[in-house]
Amino acid sequence: MLETPVLGVETSCDETAAAVVCGRRVLSNVVASQADLHHRYGGVVPELAARRHVERLAAVVDEALDRAGVDVPDLAGVAVTCGPGLVSALSVGVAFAKAFSLAAGKPLVGVNHLEGHIYANVLAHGPFPLPALALVVSGAHTDLLWIPEYGRYRVLGRTRDDAAGEAFDKAARAMGLGYPGGPAIDRLSEEGDPTRVPLPEPLASEDGYDFSFSGLKTAVLRALQETPPPALADLASAFQRAAVAHLVRRTVRAAEHFRPACLLLGGGVAANRALREALGRQAQRLGLPLWLPPPWLCTDNAAMIACAGAFHLARGERAGLDLGAWADLPWEDGGPPQDRSSAAV
Ligand code: KG4
Ligand code: ZN
């Protein structure tokens, strides 16, 4: 692992974030959440998110460097999320990181946001054993990945409609619980009885590793229209139990078939207590090590981006000043387009 500090910059959605990471040490991790800004709309408004990044990013980066006690000349480079995400929001971070790299004379590297979620595990626990099976569950993605070696990914399954986090957010909005919905449902579930509201298991009769959450969301909307409607805590609890069971069942099926050396969980939904517990039980049954980031590294942050960036920098990869911002960034390409031929730092 690179033992020189790396600056990470993350603006893919509604968190303006910067961090300095040195090896596995998080020297600083600043996250300016915009949840207050988007709360009243029940979801993220891209143009508002981008404008807030423009206003806040320079101060957030300053604070990250300050708190880390690291001077710009001591940095090994700057790593920036360049996709997938909201292009207008990503562009703010990418443009900032290019200017920073040019002014500081430091190498630039583009990072796939979802790869960052996987590297939250490296930050928390060190390098993971290979081959690994990873479940990445965020607000916009639900991907089951096979990782034969570092930096190489094969998609085994993904959602066919809503992402897991999106389903939590939409169900919470229908229940009037506000945004972001995942933590609200996680909390309220504790008080409910999941057996009081029967919900269908998605793709129950299908083999394979794909996911689907739109049916669950529709079932929640339908339940709310019944007279009398179910208690919100029971509905939240039933929804969470069904969503978690679906995620765990597909992941266990892949683990039994492919026999990885470890199981990795990442993304905002990885903070969900029921999911962590259920996967933990199954991993133990299978005798598989389960790697979970601590909750503060599950939701969006720049420390995980700096950590993934350090890995790419150490391999000699560099992005040019033509680095773009992408709404989608396919896993199979092995990450953002950058020059892989430069000498290692
Ligand atoms: O990874 P993330 O912070 O941002 C994206 O890359 O999308 O994930 C955000 C998603 C949101 O949908 C949020 O509701 C969900 O993660 N989330 C949770 C929990 N904490 C955050 N979902 C379920 N349970 C939680 N405790
Ligand atoms: Zn994320």
Side-chain angles (χ1 to χ4, degrees), residues 182-247:
I185 289 189
D186 196 347
R187 271 192 305 274
L188 191 58
S189 292
E190 298 276 296
E191 299 158 27
D193 175 352
T195 62
R196 292 217 182 108
V197 190
L199 292 179
E201 183 192 332
L203 308 180
S205 58
E206 266 194 53
D207 285 347
Y209 308 112
D210 278 349
F211 302 90
S212 167
F213 289 94
S214 64
L216 267 185
K217 174 193 64 191
T218 310
V220 166
L221 292 174
R222 227 175 262 139
L224 285 167
Q225 282 159 3
E226 278 164 21
T227 28
L232 284 189
D234 291 340
L235 185 56
S237 187
F239 168 81
Q240 177 167 283
R241 184 164 86 159
V244 166
H246 180 44
L247 287 169

Side-chain angles (χ1 to χ4, degrees), residues 40-226:
R40 79 184 89 147
Y41 304 105
V44 178
V45 184
E47 288 312 308
L48 294 183
R51 188 189 302 161
R52 187 59 75 86
H53 290 317
V54 169
E55 292 164 357
R56 295 261 175 97
L57 184 54
V60 166
V61 168
D62 257 356
E63 195 176 332
L65 288 167
D66 257 18
R67 282 196 202 172
V70 166
D71 295 323
V72 172
D74 300 330
L75 290 171
V78 52
V80 63
T81 306
C82 58
L86 305 169
V87 169
S88 55
L90 287 162
S91 300
V92 178
V94 169
F96 183 95
K98 283 181 194 176
F100 186 96
S101 144
L102 195 62
K106 295 291 174 185
L108 171 72
V109 74
V111 172
N112 179 323
H113 177 83
L114 299 172
E115 186 179 48
H117 277 305
I118 289 174
Y119 271 78
N121 283 294
V122 177
L123 258 189
H125 313 292
F128 47 81
L130 293 167
L133 178 68
L135 174 66
V136 179
V137 271
S138 72
H141 293 83
T142 304
D143 293 342
L144 193 58
L145 303 157
W146 182 248
I147 310 178
E149 59 189 69
Y150 281 92
R152 272 194 56 210
Y153 303 93
R154 190 176 129 214
V155 179
L156 300 176
R158 55 166 44 119
T159 185
R160 293 183 186 167
D161 38 60
D162 293 345
E166 186 181 0
F168 270 89
D169 292 338
K170 285 180 176 170
R173 180 158 57 180
M175 289 186 244
L177 301 177
Y179 172 87
I185 289 189
D186 196 347
R187 271 192 305 274
L188 191 58
S189 292
E190 298 276 296
E191 299 158 27
D193 175 352
T195 62
R196 292 217 182 108
V197 190
L199 292 179
E201 183 192 332
L203 308 180
S205 58
E206 266 194 53
D207 285 347
Y209 308 112
D210 278 349
F211 302 90
S212 167
F213 289 94
S214 64
L216 267 185
K217 174 193 64 191
T218 310
V220 166
L221 292 174
R222 227 175 262 139
L224 285 167
Q225 282 159 3
E226 278 164 21

Side-chain angles (χ1 to χ4, degrees), residues 4 46 54 85 147 172 263 273 303:
T4 322
V54 169
I147 310 178
L263 198 55
R273 284 174 289 182

